[in-house]
């Protein structure tokens, strides 16, 4: 490689692109995040809640949107598309076409005054056409960037030369009808493709009657559920009433080879279950039915979620997919015809609403991008990768993540995204920090005892000014204690006003600033930045929210709104007067890593950290590397496991930055992020190493299914992993039976083991291909060959493998030579003779997890796998900072998923390792040792383990004694303040939300009554 | 001068930065009108709310106090709201012993997207407290 450029182009601003961009930017690389639509956020921004925890989707996503918006290393190119990618790994030239928005982003303050003046109504894409937006619009309330766009195809002025209302309404002169857009070229070292998926277009399947208004797609239904949706969260039929019976039909546009959509879409079974559960929260009387082929609840916590829906919430699951929706020509009512279970014959039922669970398909723009990027696609239309290199495309330097690679859910997408970022960052590791510049601020002025607070009251055009009497509020503010200056602004956040605030600080020698305008959730970072530019500590700022919390919600009570605005300003000033400068502490740390577990995940994580130039120690308790994969002989793509393992093991053994310690166990651990001390034991000898981050990759084991299906009783009963070796060695068995879920999905192990169905398909195919005259029977509960592995299921059926469904309450009975089995689909009993029975036993968590968990102070889930910080957006992190997890230590999974997580864990770890020092947040909590009585209550409430009791020697005039006092580690404290509320003696100060500050606000509140 | 008929309850709402404060913002964005009875005090997490803050709000003259945060499971700080729940039970008992009616203290989980829920909550509590009249803990001379 002749040249390396320390910048990366990330195509697609959904959750995948966002995660890649944040990881790369935090590792010191410049990022161009290129998004086709007007806002980042992608499909996740449209979701109401996420499975299986029913978390609010926007609540978890919007902090990430804000992080991208204000990250100095990320350049956001929205409403833009890539038109060319030339060059090679390390040095690409990417052509980007920025479409015209007709709104000057430097002038638009997103005040929204233009919107009511626009006469054009356009179906709102964000709400899936459930209501209308205007021709000038913000994609959704939390959109990033917060700049309006004019829809050129719909705008009256741009299409017919009439109107021009928005330009007249805009008080900041931001509308520019002459905007032509532009084409730019950017120079980057790597490209990440993450433009996601497109929901399947169900209108092409006429039999499902999308022409009927009460037949909706799952995405439309999702918007109906949302409180920000077209009906404010009320599920509404076309006649305005609410449905009593809703049906979901699964696999619309998935598992349908007849229309060229062979793959399973991986997420629909779970989102349908979620939608049914959430809908029933809205209306407990609602009857919900999900028509399916198999219920594919294969991810972490999914099976438990499905069982809860079925057994506790009475969601009805019917194993049959209706071939269409019938509409009664007289009553216009909807009904579905399906094959009843247990041989009940054809049934018909009426429903008020039918939701089509549409699949994930490669988007048109993704296809174009694949052509432009010149990377290969597989025959399903997804970007081609290998199982052991899940984020690498066929063109070096170009990586892929998320649903563009295969249909997948949010956590898998986030893992991929971090993994792709890691690969790009490894390639460019020598260029870290070269293209990013740190902004320089003037020296902070000293804060004297004299309080000199300045107040700026914003009119926000007419948003505030038409309701609240702004001059009255300004005059009121002038008389408040501590205030030395007050004035009004039309738009406090416009760039000229911001410069004006900086001037005021100097002119009036202000040491605190209060802006009375809108919400701090969007605008606080902007004003804090302004203070820094004026030489004031950013924490000397307070926002008084008189728009969202006042003028907008009291539009018909102007006097009361003005009174409230004064109260809010007075309360804010009282707080501002007590603000103190806060500083982010810089802490030195050890920038090497520790990986525990030498399986495919641990080895990939190790190599990836080492490739970025950091030293890493890999600890493996056995003598061999390879872990769980050593138990199997083939991957599902036909390659042997040794073909995949050997090169990785070779790299681990030969890498200069890796210290490999086999036969070694971790026996002790102290410290926190940046300064861990790990105690290792190798052949009875103790060793101690220092590291800054640690990754847990300790894997899982195949259950020995003792006690299930006569395992251990007869010799010809084996597990799938044993079967693989028997196939290699050549078996003469003629009648072979598989039993799925052997020891899984039961009371003892309620989870689905995710990988077993795909492994079973692989082995069934190998047996049939080896000898077509063999009989292979698969006895199953649900076949869960999700995503592209659906092809293996199809292939097995085509080869003549016989599939028979059993139910949990009537399990097959295994005798010495034959199996008694009730087939629930055919409603018939069978006796199957066998000479070899292979049990698909689940992966189980090693017993050592509990000990390891308590060493690292990280939690386990109810199945004893490690529990990540957030099931959706932080899949490879723990709440405890500096500790990560990947692979089957987190939950059972396939090899490509384990590798993707391993790269993700390495990426997240390296965002820490690649900094020069650790930086604390400003508003950490601190302990006054004089007041601390060492009770330890703070250590119990802190989820991050920041407070720690330490032994101290106290010397008084009379006696000297040893006691315990709490210390808070500022590098891991997140500033929530829970410890301060818990502390019985007031020893803990939650900075920026101190007791005196909060009490002052309460007192100021009282003064207005 | 205000007559008793026009009397509006004075309410303090403690809101967490990530969810319920955002819910109040979303109510604004959706223009969900609500009585001008309430003043919001922002903290980063509902887990920061000390029972003392709530007592003091009453002593300053609030007729009702609202403790709000993220839905259980959605806390930005993993589980701060679970601690709020525990402290709230203590608060409820204490305030009852002081003779305050239960409707003067409320715990509610409101996500950042639930603007209408926030507005309805303010409407409901305002109406209930209006029936109860001024708080017995109100200092003399405060309406």
């Amino acid at each position: 490689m002749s040249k390396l450029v320390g910048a990366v182009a990330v195509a697609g601003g959904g959750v995948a692109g966002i995660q890649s961009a944040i990881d790369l930017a935090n590792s010191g690389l410049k990022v161009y995040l290129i998004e086709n639509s007007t806002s980042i956020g992608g499909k996740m921004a449209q979701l109401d809640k996420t499975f299986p925890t029913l978390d609010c989707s926007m609540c978890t996503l919007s902090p990430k949107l804000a992080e991208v918006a204000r990250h100095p290393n990320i350049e956001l190119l929205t409403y833009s598309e890539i038109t060319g990618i030339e060059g090679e790994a390390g040095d690409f030239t990417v052509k980007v076409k920025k479409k015209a928005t007709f709104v000057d982003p430097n002038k638009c303050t997103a005040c929204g005054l233009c919107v009511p003046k626009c006469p054009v109504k356009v179906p709102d894409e964000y709400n899936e056409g459930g209501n209308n937006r205007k021709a000038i619009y913000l994609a959704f309330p939390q959109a990033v960037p917060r700049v309006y766009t004019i829809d050129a195809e719909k705008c009256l002025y741009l299409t017919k030369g009439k109107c021009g209302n928005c330009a007249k309404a805009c008080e900041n002169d931001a509308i520019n009808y002459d905007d032509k857009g532009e084409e730019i070229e950017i120079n980057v070292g790597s490209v990440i493709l993450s433009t996601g998926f497109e929901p399947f277009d169900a209108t092409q399947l006429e039999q499902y009657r999308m022409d009927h208004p009460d037949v909706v797609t799952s995405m439309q239904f999702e918007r109906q559920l949302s409180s920000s949706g077209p009906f404010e969260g009320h599920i509404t039929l076309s006649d305005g009433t609410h449905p009593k019976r809703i049906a979901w039909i699964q696999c619309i546009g998935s598992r349908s080879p007849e229309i060229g959509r062979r793959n399973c879409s991986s997420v629909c079974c779970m989102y349908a279950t979620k939608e049914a559960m959430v809908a029933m929260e809205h209306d407990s009387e609602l009857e919900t039915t999900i028509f399916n082929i198999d219920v594919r609840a294969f991810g972490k916590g999914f099976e438990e979620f499905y069982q809860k829906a079925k057994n506790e919430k009475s969601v009805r699951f019917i194993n049959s997919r209706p071939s269409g929706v019938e509409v009664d020509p007289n009553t216009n009512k909807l009904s579905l015809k399906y094959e009843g279970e247990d041989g009940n014959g054809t049934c018909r039922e009426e429903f008020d609403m039918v939701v089509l669970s549409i699949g994930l398909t490669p988007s048109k723009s993704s296809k174009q991008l694949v052509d432009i990027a010149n990377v290969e696609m597989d025959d399903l239309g997804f970007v081609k990768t290998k199982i052991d290199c899940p984020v690498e495309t066929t063109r070096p330097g170009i990586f892929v993540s998320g649903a563009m690679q295969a249909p997948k859910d949010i956590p898998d997408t986030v893992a991929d995204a971090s993994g792709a970022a890691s690969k790009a960052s490894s390639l460019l590791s020598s260029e870290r920090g070269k293209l990013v510049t740190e902004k320089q601020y003037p020296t902070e002025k000293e804060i004297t005892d004299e309080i000199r607070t300045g107040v700026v009251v914003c009119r926000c055009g007419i948003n505030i000014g038409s309701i609240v009497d702004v001059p009255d509020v300004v005059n009121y503010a002038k008389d408040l204690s501590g205030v030395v200056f007050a004035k009004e602004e039309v738009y406090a956040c416009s760039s000229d006003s911001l410069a004006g605030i900086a001037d005021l600080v100097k002119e009036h020698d202000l040491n605190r600033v209060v802006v009375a305008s809108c919400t701090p959730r969007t605008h606080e970072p902007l004003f804090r930045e302004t203070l820094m530019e004026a030489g004031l500590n950013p924490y000397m700022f307070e926002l008084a929210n008189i728009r969202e919390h006042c003028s907008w919600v009291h539009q018909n009570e102007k006097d009361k709104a003005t009174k409230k605005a004064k109260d809010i300003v007075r309360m804010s000033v009282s707080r501002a007067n007590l603000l103190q400068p806060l500083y982010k502490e810089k802490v030195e740390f050890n920038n090497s890593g520790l990986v525990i577990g030498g399986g495919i995940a641990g080895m990939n994580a190790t190599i990836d950290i080492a490739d970025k130039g950091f030293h890493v120690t890999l600890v493996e308790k056995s003598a061999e590397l390879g872990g769980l994969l050593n138990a199997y002989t083939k991957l599902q793509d036909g390659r042997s496991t040794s073909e995949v393992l050997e090169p990785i093991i070779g790299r681990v053994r030969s890498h200069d930055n890796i210290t490999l310690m086999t036969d070694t166990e971790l026996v002790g651990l102290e410290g926190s992020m940046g300064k861990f001390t790990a105690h290792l034991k190798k052949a009875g000898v103790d060793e101690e190493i220092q590291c800054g981050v640690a990754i847990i990759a300790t894997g899982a084991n195949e259950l020995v299914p003792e006690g299930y299906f006569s395992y251990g009783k007869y010799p010809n009963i084996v597990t799938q992993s044993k079967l693989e070796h028997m196939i290699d060695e050549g078996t003469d068995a003629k009648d072979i039976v598989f039993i799925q879920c052997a020891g899984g999905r039961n009371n003892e192990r309620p989870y689905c083991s995710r990988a077993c169905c795909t492994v079973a398909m692989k082995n069934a195919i190998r047996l049939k291909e080896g000898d077509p005259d063999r009989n292979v029977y698969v006895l199953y509960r649900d076949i869960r060959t999700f995503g592209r592995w659906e092809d293996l299921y199809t292939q097995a059926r085509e080869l003549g493998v016989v599939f028979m469904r059993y139910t949990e309450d009537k399990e097959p009975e295994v005798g010495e030579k034959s199996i008694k089995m009730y087939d629930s689909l055919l409603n018939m009993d069978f006796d199957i003779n066998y000479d070899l029975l292979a049990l698909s036993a689940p992966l189980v968590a090693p017993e050592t997890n509990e000990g390891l968990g308590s060493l690292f102070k990280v939690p386990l889930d109810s199945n004893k796998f490690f529990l990540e910080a957030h099931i959706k957006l932080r899949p490879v992190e723990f709440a405890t900072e500096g500790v990560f997890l990947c692979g089957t230590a987190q939950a059972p999974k396939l090899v490509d998923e384990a590798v993707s997580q391993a790269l993700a864990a390495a990426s997240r770890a390296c965002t820490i390792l690649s900094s020069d020092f650790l930086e604390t947040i400003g508003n950490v909590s601190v302990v006054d040792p004089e007041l601390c009585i060492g009770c330890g209550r703070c250590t119990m409430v802190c989820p991050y383990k920041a407070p720690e009791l330490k032994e101290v020697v106290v010397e008084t005039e009379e006696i000297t004694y040893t006691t315990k006092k709490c210390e808070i580690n500022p590098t891991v404290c997140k500033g929530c303040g829970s410890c301060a509320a818990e502390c019985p003696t007031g020893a803990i100060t939650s900075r920026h939300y101190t007791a005196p500050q909060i009490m002052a606000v309460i007192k100021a509140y009282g003064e207005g009554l | 001068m205000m007559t008793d008929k026009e009397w509006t309850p004075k309410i303090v709402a403690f809101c967490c930065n990530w969810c319920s404060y955002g819910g109040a913002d979303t109510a604004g964005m959706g223009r969900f009108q609500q009585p001008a009875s309430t003043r919001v005090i922002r903290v980063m997490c509902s887990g920061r709310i000390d029972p003392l803050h709530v007592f003091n709000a009453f002593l300053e003259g609030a007729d009702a106090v609202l403790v709000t945060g993220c839905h259980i499971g959605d806390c930005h700080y993993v589980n701060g709201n679970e601690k709020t729940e525990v402290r709230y039970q203590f608060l409820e008992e204490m305030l009852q012993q002081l003779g305050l009616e239960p409707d003067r203290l409320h715990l509610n989980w409101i996500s950042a997207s639930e603007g209408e829920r926030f507005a309805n909550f303010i409407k409901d509590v305002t109406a209930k407290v209006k029936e109860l009249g001024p708080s017995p803990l109100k200092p003399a001379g405060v309406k």
Side-chain angles (χ1 to χ4, degrees):
Chain A
M1 252 168 270
S2 50
K3 182 181 159 195
L4 288 172
V5 182
V8 180
V10 177
V15 67
I18 287 170
Q19 185 63 47
S20 291
I22 291 173
D23 273 16
L24 289 163
N26 285 340
S27 319
L29 293 167
K30 165 96 187 170
V31 180
Y32 299 93
L33 181 57
I34 302 150
E35 163 61 39
N36 212 346
S37 69
T38 60
S39 170
I40 58 169
K43 294 290 183 291
M44 190 177 169
Q46 281 182 283
L47 304 182
D48 176 43
K49 298 220 161 65
T50 54
F51 60 78
T53 48
L54 301 184
D55 278 2
C56 153
S57 186
M58 187 53 96
C59 308
T60 48
L61 180 66
S62 59
K64 295 232 179 207
L65 300 181
E67 192 176 350
V68 168
R70 63 170 183 263
H71 204 298
N73 297 353
I74 300 175
E75 191 171 327
L76 204 48
L77 300 169
T78 47
Y79 217 40
S80 299
E81 59 188 30
I82 293 180
T83 54
I85 303 175
E86 305 292 330
E88 58 180 47
D91 182 14
F92 291 104
T93 301
V94 177
K95 283 194 186 127
V96 180
K97 187 177 164 199
K98 292 170 80 174
K99 289 177 267 188
T101 63
F102 307 98
V103 179
D104 183 341
N106 297 318
K107 289 182 179 167
C108 176
T109 62
C111 73
L113 291 182
C114 48
V115 175
K117 304 290 178 200
C118 175
V120 184
K121 285 182 180 162
V122 184
D124 185 354
E125 298 87 348
Y126 178 67
N127 278 331
E128 294 287 319
N131 61 352
N132 290 323
R133 62 164 169 84
K134 294 297 184 68
I136 185 160
Y137 69 108
L138 203 57
F140 52 95
Q142 298 84 351
V144 166
R146 291 185 60 74
V147 174
Y148 277 78
T149 301
I150 296 180
D151 186 334
E153 285 173 20
K154 306 289 179 183
C155 169
L156 283 184
Y157 188 88
L158 293 170
T159 53
K160 296 184 181 141
K162 294 175 189 160
C163 188
N165 284 357
C166 53
K168 282 173 229 152
C170 183
E171 300 194 6
N172 223 22
D173 210 14
I175 308 293
N176 171 19
Y177 294 121
D178 298 324
D179 190 358
K180 298 275 184 290
E182 60 176 323
E183 291 209 34
I184 59 168
E185 278 189 4
I186 52 178
N187 191 207
V188 296
S190 174
V191 180
I192 294 176
L193 309 177
S194 48
T195 51
F197 67 93
E198 200 167 73
F200 176 76
D201 175 13
T203 56
Q204 57 183 280
L205 301 179
E206 285 172 13
Q207 67 272 32
Y208 286 106
R209 300 302 300 265
M210 280 293 291
D211 56 313
H212 191 290
D214 295 327
V215 178
V216 299
T217 68
S218 43
M219 210 57 180
Q220 289 173 325
F221 191 75
E222 195 77 39
R223 294 312 305 153
Q224 286 225 3
L225 288 176
S226 172
S227 54
S228 62
F231 306 112
E232 281 144 18
H234 306 292
I235 308 161
T236 308
L237 294 170
S238 51
D239 63 3
T241 62
H242 306 300
K244 300 258 179 294
R245 289 169 58 81
I246 307 180
W248 279 257
I249 305 178
Q250 298 305 106
C251 302
I252 301 295
S254 314
R255 302 181 72 181
S256 306
E258 70 281 4
I259 53 161
R261 297 288 349 137
R262 305 197 310 268
N263 59 278
C264 159
S265 288
S266 298
V267 298
C268 323
C269 284
M270 293 316 295
Y271 76 55
T273 307
K274 169 198 73 179
E275 289 182 349
M277 297 258 273
V278 176
M280 290 167 84
E281 275 180 11
H282 290 224
D283 175 5
S284 56
E285 303 285 297
L286 188 70
E287 290 176 35
T288 56
T289 308
I290 299 177
F291 291 93
N292 61 80
I293 310 177
D294 296 279
V295 177
R296 294 198 161 163
F298 55 84
K300 186 168 182 166
F302 293 6
E303 174 70 17
E304 292 93 324
F305 185 66
Y306 159 50
Q307 293 298 341
K308 186 177 170 192
K310 192 164 73 169
N311 301 324
E312 290 174 33
K313 302 286 170 186
S314 313
V315 178
R316 199 161 59 123
F317 289 85
I318 293 182
N319 258 149
S320 171
R321 178 169 64 168
S323 56
V325 175
E326 294 180 17
V327 179
D328 188 305
N330 300 316
T331 63
N332 210 27
K333 284 199 165 168
L334 303 170
S335 67
L336 299 177
K337 206 162 75 178
Y338 62 94
E339 283 304 308
E341 282 173 320
D342 294 339
N344 279 344
T346 307
C347 309
R348 180 197 294 277
E349 271 184 61
E350 273 192 8
F351 293 94
D352 302 326
M353 181 182 248
V354 173
V355 183
L356 303 179
S357 292
I358 47 177
L360 277 51
T361 62
S363 70
K364 282 177 209 81
S365 58
S366 290
K367 281 181 198 152
Q368 281 169 10
L369 184 59
V370 162
D371 286 342
I372 291 165
N374 198 17
V375 299
E376 280 178 41
M377 274 190 326
D378 65 13
D379 57 355
L380 295 165
F382 298 101
V383 173
K384 198 182 213 172
T385 57
K386 282 188 191 161
I387 287 178
D388 48 333
C389 308
V391 299
E392 288 167 59
T393 71
T394 48
R395 185 171 170 191
I398 300 186
F399 304 97
V400 64
S401 78
M404 207 175 168
Q405 188 261 351
K408 60 186 70 170
D409 65 0
I410 293 167
D412 289 354
T413 296
V414 171
D416 266 6
S418 281
S422 196
K423 283 287 172 194
S425 151
S426 293
L427 173 69
L428 305 171
S429 64
S430 62
E431 305 306 298
R432 277 200 306 265
K434 291 195 181 164
L435 289 180
V436 297
T437 45
E438 210 171 314
K439 195 171 172 181
Q440 298 296 318
Y441 297 99
T443 319
E444 270 181 30
K445 71 175 187 185
E446 222 172 292
I447 305 294
T448 55
D449 285 344
E450 189 196 359
I451 294 167
R452 297 187 63 81
T453 301
V455 179
V456 175
V457 185
C458 177
R459 302 186 68 86
C460 195
I462 58 168
N463 277 314
I464 296 170
S466 68
I467 310 289
V468 170
D469 184 344
V470 171
D472 191 20
V473 176
V474 170
N475 282 329
Y476 176 79
K478 280 179 180 162
D479 291 336
L480 291 170
S481 163
V483 175
V484 295
F485 181 80
K487 69 174 286 198
E488 67 173 74
E489 280 286 354
V490 179
Y491 288 107
C493 62
S494 67
S495 41
D496 54 327
S497 292
L498 291 173
I501 291 173
D503 291 341
L504 288 180
V505 169
K506 285 173 202 142
E507 203 178 312
H508 297 273
D509 191 24
L510 304 179
N511 52 23
R512 283 154 181 92
V513 175
V514 174
V515 173
S517 60
C518 50
T519 173
R521 283 164 47 91
T522 54
H523 281 66
E524 194 173 64
L526 186 69
F527 290 115
R528 280 185 170 175
E529 173 99 17
T530 303
L531 259 62
M532 286 163 79
E533 285 161 3
L536 254 187
N537 185 279
Y539 289 92
M540 305 305 271
F541 173 77
E542 183 66 10
L543 246 175
N545 186 347
I546 60 166
R547 189 178 74 175
E548 280 84 346
H549 291 191
C550 186
S551 68
W552 276 353
V553 292
H554 310 305
Q555 288 174 319
N556 306 317
E557 298 182 294
K558 294 186 180 179
D559 289 349
K560 285 184 180 172
T562 302
K563 164 78 170 73
K564 182 170 175 178
K566 288 179 187 172
D567 287 346
I568 295 173
V569 169
R570 182 181 67 254
M571 289 161 74
S572 299
V573 167
S574 73
R575 176 175 152 77
N577 291 348
L578 296 184
L579 290 175
Q580 289 298 324
L582 298 177
Y583 299 95
K584 296 177 178 178
E585 235 180 282
K586 290 178 178 177
V587 186
E588 288 203 354
F589 74 110
N590 182 315
N591 67 351
S592 63
L594 169 68
V595 177
I596 303 165
I600 186 97
M603 287 193 292
N604 267 289
T606 303
I607 292 172
D608 220 46
I609 296 174
D611 277 350
K612 293 184 181 64
F614 303 108
H615 182 265
V616 51
T617 305
L618 174 59
V619 175
E620 165 58 41
K621 71 170 185 233
S622 73
E624 294 298 319
L625 290 171
L628 182 62
L629 214 46
N630 285 330
Y632 298 86
T633 68
K634 287 266 196 273
L635 292 178
Q636 65 269 33
D637 64 1
R639 285 184 298 162
S640 69
T641 49
S642 58
E643 186 189 331
V644 171
L645 281 174
E646 273 163 20
I648 303 176
I649 293 174
R651 283 210 69 200
V652 167
R653 292 192 185 279
S654 63
H655 206 297
D656 286 344
N657 289 338
I658 297 175
T659 303
L660 173 63
M661 298 178 73
T662 49
D663 286 314
T664 306
E665 273 189 84
L666 180 80
V667 292
L669 186 92
E670 287 132 37
S672 59
M673 173 169 75
K675 41 184 184 252
F676 288 111
T677 303
H679 301 277
L680 306 169
K681 206 179 206 73
K682 179 174 178 139
V685 182
D686 290 339
E687 206 169 314
E688 200 178 278
I689 64 156
Q690 312 294 321
C691 60
V693 296
I695 296 178
I696 296 177
T698 44
N701 306 316
E702 187 185 42
L703 173 77
V704 179
E706 212 71 61
Y708 295 101
F709 303 109
S710 304
Y711 181 86
K713 201 167 161 190
Y714 308 119
N716 48 348
I717 304 180
V718 298
T719 61
Q720 287 289 349
S721 67
K722 174 76 171 118
L723 174 69
E724 294 204 2
H725 293 276
M726 291 172 73
I727 299 173
D728 286 354
E729 288 152 13
T731 170
D732 50 11
K734 285 287 174 202
D735 295 306
I736 303 156
V737 179
F738 294 180
I739 299 181
Q740 301 302 104
C741 306
R745 296 178 69 192
N746 56 15
N747 287 336
E748 206 179 333
R749 284 170 222 91
Y751 61 95
C752 164
S753 186
R754 185 172 182 133
C756 330
C757 280
T758 303
V759 170
M761 293 311 125
K762 169 188 77 182
N763 289 340
I765 290 166
R766 287 185 69 203
L767 284 166
K768 271 294 200 185
E769 282 180 344
D771 178 0
D773 293 333
R774 276 176 179 142
N775 295 311
V776 180
Y777 304 90
V778 178
L779 316 188
Y780 70 100
R781 287 169 58 190
D782 292 279
I783 291 292
R784 293 178 171 173
T785 45
F786 57 90
R788 56 162 57 90
W789 308 120
E790 178 70 9
D791 272 357
L792 295 181
Y793 181 28
T794 310
Q795 194 188 346
R797 288 198 313 260
E798 283 169 1
L799 288 169
V801 176
V802 177
F803 287 85
M804 304 173 82
R805 185 175 216 133
Y806 76 90
T807 55
E808 195 193 355
D809 47 345
K810 269 192 178 176
E811 285 191 340
E813 289 169 31
V814 178
E816 191 175 356
K817 297 254 163 60
S818 75
I819 299 170
K820 271 190 197 312
M821 141 95 195
Y822 166 73
D823 185 314
S824 68
L825 288 181
L826 299 172
N827 190 25
M828 281 168 80
D829 290 306
F830 290 91
D831 275 312
I832 308 163
N833 292 330
Y834 74 96
D835 45 25
L836 181 61
L837 170 61
L839 299 181
S840 289
L843 295 179
V844 292
E847 282 170 5
T848 47
N849 279 4
E850 273 178 345
L852 202 55
S854 61
L855 279 184
F856 278 99
K857 299 176 194 156
V858 296
L860 305 184
D861 65 25
S862 58
N863 299 317
K864 308 291 179 203
F865 291 97
F866 285 98
L867 180 62
E868 60 273 31
H870 188 273
I871 197 160
K872 284 288 167 188
L873 293 186
R874 297 176 70 193
V876 299
E877 289 160 68
F878 286 109
T880 307
E881 288 224 55
V883 190
F884 304 87
L885 76 165
C886 61
T888 48
Q890 184 252 2
K893 54 179 62 71
L894 291 165
V895 172
D896 50 346
E897 295 153 353
V899 173
S900 158
Q901 277 201 340
L903 301 177
S907 178
R908 302 298 299 142
C910 287
T911 58
I912 297 167
L913 296 182
S914 57
S915 25
D916 297 329
F917 43 79
L918 295 182
E919 200 172 42
T920 67
I921 52 168
N923 56 315
V924 291
S925 290
V926 285
V927 184
D928 178 350
E930 294 279 306
L931 293 176
C932 177
I933 53 167
C935 68
R937 280 167 68 172
C938 49
T939 62
M940 288 185 276
V941 296
C942 178
Y944 309 104
K945 318 286 179 203
E948 209 179 327
L949 284 178
K950 291 199 173 152
E951 266 188 17
V952 289
V953 179
V954 181
E955 283 179 48
T956 69
E957 279 179 24
E958 292 93 34
I959 50 162
T960 300
Y961 63 98
T962 318
T963 184
K964 284 190 169 173
K965 298 272 180 194
C966 170
E967 260 180 45
I968 291 177
N969 180 350
T971 48
V972 293
C973 174
K974 299 274 185 204
C976 68
S978 259
C979 54
E982 191 70 21
C983 180
T985 64
I988 299 182
T989 299
S990 168
R991 282 181 173 156
H992 212 53
Y993 290 89
T994 67
Q997 286 164 356
I998 296 174
M999 288 301 189
V1001 176
I1002 295 170
K1003 191 160 183 304
Y1005 166 75
E1007 283 163 8
L1009 299 181
Chain B
M1 277 301 285
M2 261 191 288
T3 64
D4 278 344
K5 215 178 162 187
E6 289 169 75
W7 178 78
T8 325
K10 315 291 185 295
I11 301 170
V12 171
F14 289 97
C15 293
C16 80
N17 180 59
W18 304 96
C19 295
S20 53
Y21 192 95
D25 284 350
T26 309
M29 284 183 253
R31 309 297 195 274
F32 293 114
Q33 302 301 299
Q34 47 191 277
S37 54
T38 306
R39 306 291 179 263
V40 168
I41 297 180
R42 178 170 77 129
V43 285
M44 293 313 281
C45 177
S46 65
R48 173 68 189 99
I49 303 164
D50 190 322
L52 267 179
H53 302 150
V54 177
F55 281 122
N56 268 276
F58 278 115
L59 293 178
E60 285 294 339
D63 297 299
V65 177
L66 317 178
V67 176
T68 67
C70 307
H71 287 277
I72 295 293
D74 285 355
C75 177
H76 187 78
Y77 302 102
V78 186
N79 53 17
N81 48 4
E82 291 172 18
K83 289 141 209 167
T84 313
E85 214 167 24
V86 174
R87 291 181 194 128
Y88 183 83
Q89 284 168 3
F90 160 78
L91 254 175
E92 240 180 352
E93 277 172 35
M94 290 300 290
L95 290 173
Q96 260 171 25
Q97 285 179 16
L98 287 172
L100 274 191
E101 301 89 334
D103 268 336
R104 296 192 189 276
L105 178 69
H106 293 265
L107 178 70
N108 202 349
W109 306 138
I110 300 166
S111 83
S113 60
E114 292 175 325
E116 195 179 14
R117 181 183 165 104
F118 186 92
N120 287 339
F121 180 46
I122 299 300
K123 273 188 223 167
D124 290 350
V125 177
T126 305
K128 278 180 188 158
V129 178
K130 197 162 186 173
E131 276 186 20
L132 292 176
S135 156
L137 294 184
K138 220 181 248 287
V142 175
K143 287 231 170 190

